[in-house]
């Protein structure tokens, strides 16, 4: 038989699926794949349930239900002062589809795309499948600061866009106002676009502030900003994402979406519209709650000798495991703790393309406090058993 798509044949199964399967196999607490272990807000879930029963179960409009597009536009104004016309909003099946649709909308074969490592798993395969070339800029632990000279050097006359993830997975980094200003300067200098993966926009902790790149001078017309109801309402299985941009760019994203899925579940869209109108207290509570969980896991891991790095946003905290006396890389470490301690995590090297640091592990803290305490207890038991063996 003729060979199938070689790029896809080379693409491995995502690390999130691998570690979740291993966690299930070993009855491990899953601090790997990022999903909450409780349901989202009851009123939003109820709205979706009601919406299933009112005879509006046929295709939604291609770009999304008008009430959700209006709600996304209103949320842009309310949280960031951004003026987005509802015709500049496209509803997708999760941020995953939104990312691909935005890249499809903007890229031609031969274009260059600036990507920042460590990077989310879908970015590079999609850029490559579209025939574009990735230019990678690497952030380094422990502070994950933006290396400005390297970023500047990654731009060329062929740069079409930069893909920015802030708050960032897996680092928990929230890009600073200064860093964003530098990025926007480069984008304007090279007349390039920005695709901003902001799925963790509302999961930002005290002391940090999420600033959409799109709010910076000169950026509105060249930026596509992506959000996810999965993260904002703790309902990751719903897969409702939204893209905001100028009507001209959104029209191209809509063309891509038309060829990917055409339309997303109308019932869920209606519930998300209700969710986006929730009070400020809801959004503040979401972040506060998560911050408490981060602190529980952070303190527990530190007590056991894990050197955790700052995490200002997202579901994740990174820990340096090199001081624990374990002989093996981050991949082996994550397998071992899943199998032997009963706690799953994600090796951070999975977020790199080339040679990667191998002593960092990502833990998801979007779990109930008692589960986080139990995970720390299990890790402690395992560490004690290891030192007894040594
Ligand atoms: N981008 C980032 C950075 C993520 O961590 C995730 C994971 N959930 C996604 C996109 C995908 O979001 P969704 O579940 O809405 O497709
Ligand atoms: N975004 C989730 C994470 O980083 C995973 C989503 C997925 O499994 N595709 O854990």
């Amino acid at each position: 038989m003729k060979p199938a798509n070689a790029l896809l044949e080379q693409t491995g199964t995502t690390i999130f699926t691998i570690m979740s399967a291993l966690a299930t196999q070993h009855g491990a607490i899953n601090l790997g794949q990022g999903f909450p272990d409780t349901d989202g807000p009851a009123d939003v879930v109820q709205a979706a349930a009601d919406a299933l029963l009112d005879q509006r179960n046929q295709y939604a409009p291609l770009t999304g239900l008008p009430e959700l597009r209006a709600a996304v536009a209103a949320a842009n104004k309310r949280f960031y002062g951004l003026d987005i016309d509802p015709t500049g909003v496209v509803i997708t099946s999760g941020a995953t589809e939104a990312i691909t649709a935005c890249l499809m909308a903007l890229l031609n074969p031969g274009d260059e795309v600036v990507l920042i490592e460590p990077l989310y798993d879908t970015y590079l395969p999609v850029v490559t499948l579209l025939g574009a070339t990735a230019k990678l800029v690497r952030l380094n632990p422990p502070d994950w600061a933006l290396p400005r000279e390297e970023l500047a050097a990654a731009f060329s006359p062929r740069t079409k866009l930069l893909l920015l993830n802030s708050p960032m997975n897996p680092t928990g980094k929230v890009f600073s106002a200064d860093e964003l200003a530098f990025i926007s300067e480069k984008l304007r200098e090279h007349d390039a676009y920005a695709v901003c993966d902001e799925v963790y926009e509302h999961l930002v902790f005290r002391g940090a502030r999420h600033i959409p790149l799109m709010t910076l001078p000169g950026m509105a017309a060249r930026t596509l900003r992506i959000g996810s109801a999965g993260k904002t309402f703790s309902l990751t299985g719903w897969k409702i994402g939204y893209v905001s941009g100028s009507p001209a760019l959104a029209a191209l994203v809509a063309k891509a979406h038309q060829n990917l899925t055409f339309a997303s579940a109308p019932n869920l869209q209606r519930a998300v519209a209700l969710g986006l109108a929730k009070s400020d207290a809801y959004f503040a509570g979401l972040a506060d709650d998560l911050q408490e969980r981060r602190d529980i896991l952070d303190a527990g891991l530190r007590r056991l000798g894990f050197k955790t790095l700052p995490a200002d946003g997202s579901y994740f905290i990174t820990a340096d495991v090199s001081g624990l006396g374990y002989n093996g890389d981050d991949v082996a470490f994550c397998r071992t703790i899943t199998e032997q301690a009963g706690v799953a995590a994600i090796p951070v090297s999975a977020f790199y393309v080339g040679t990667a640091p191998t002593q960092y592990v990502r833990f998801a803290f979007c779990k109930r406090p008692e589960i986080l305490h139990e995970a720390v207890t299990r890790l402690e038991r395992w560490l004690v058993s290891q030192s007894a063996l040594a």
Side-chain angles (χ1 to χ4, degrees), residues 94-96 99 120 123 165 169 197 199-200 228 231 239:
T96 309
I99 293 160
Y120 188 58
Y123 298 170
N165 175 213
N169 179 6
D197 177 348
V199 298
Y200 300 106
S228 166
K231 305 293 149 53
K239 301 295 287 184

Side-chain angles (χ1 to χ4, degrees), residues 35-40 233-235 293 366-368:
F35 59 90
D37 61 352
T38 47
D39 232 352
F233 302 106
S234 310
L235 294 161
R293 291 156 202 239
C366 47
K367 309 290 172 177
R368 282 166 290 155

Side-chain angles (χ1 to χ4, degrees), residues 164 166 175-185 211-213 216:
L164 182 70
S166 182
F175 279 72
S176 69
D178 272 3
E179 290 173 325
L180 294 171
F182 187 77
I183 292 171
S184 77
E185 194 185 301
I211 306 168
L213 185 66
L216 272 68

Side-chain angles (χ1 to χ4, degrees), residues 111-197:
D111 285 344
E112 291 180 0
V113 177
V114 180
L115 296 178
I116 300 178
E117 267 187 319
L119 79 181
Y120 188 58
D121 68 342
T122 72
Y123 298 170
L124 184 63
V126 176
V127 165
T128 312
L129 278 166
L130 291 170
T133 305
K135 295 285 163 187
L136 293 160
V137 176
R138 185 173 283 208
L139 307 186
N140 288 307
D143 59 355
W144 312 108
L146 183 72
R148 297 184 185 208
E149 276 178 31
E150 288 163 37
L151 183 80
F155 278 84
S156 88
R158 288 165 66 192
T159 306
K160 180 61 80 65
L161 66 90
L162 174 141
L163 206 171
L164 182 70
N165 175 213
S166 182
M168 190 182 188
N169 179 6
T171 63
K173 173 188 172 76
V174 179
F175 279 72
S176 69
D178 272 3
E179 290 173 325
L180 294 171
F182 187 77
I183 292 171
S184 77
E185 194 185 301
K186 293 295 134 205
L187 290 169
R188 281 182 282 117
E189 223 172 276
H190 292 270
D191 191 24
Y193 296 95
V195 173
C196 295
D197 177 348

Side-chain angles (χ1 to χ4, degrees), residues 35-46 230 232-238 282 286 289 293 315 366 368:
F35 59 90
D37 61 352
T38 47
D39 232 352
D43 54 350
V44 177
V45 175
Q46 187 63 53
T232 296
F233 302 106
S234 310
L235 294 161
T236 61
W238 279 22
Y282 166 77
L286 179 72
D289 225 46
R293 291 156 202 239
Y315 281 156
C366 47
R368 282 166 290 155

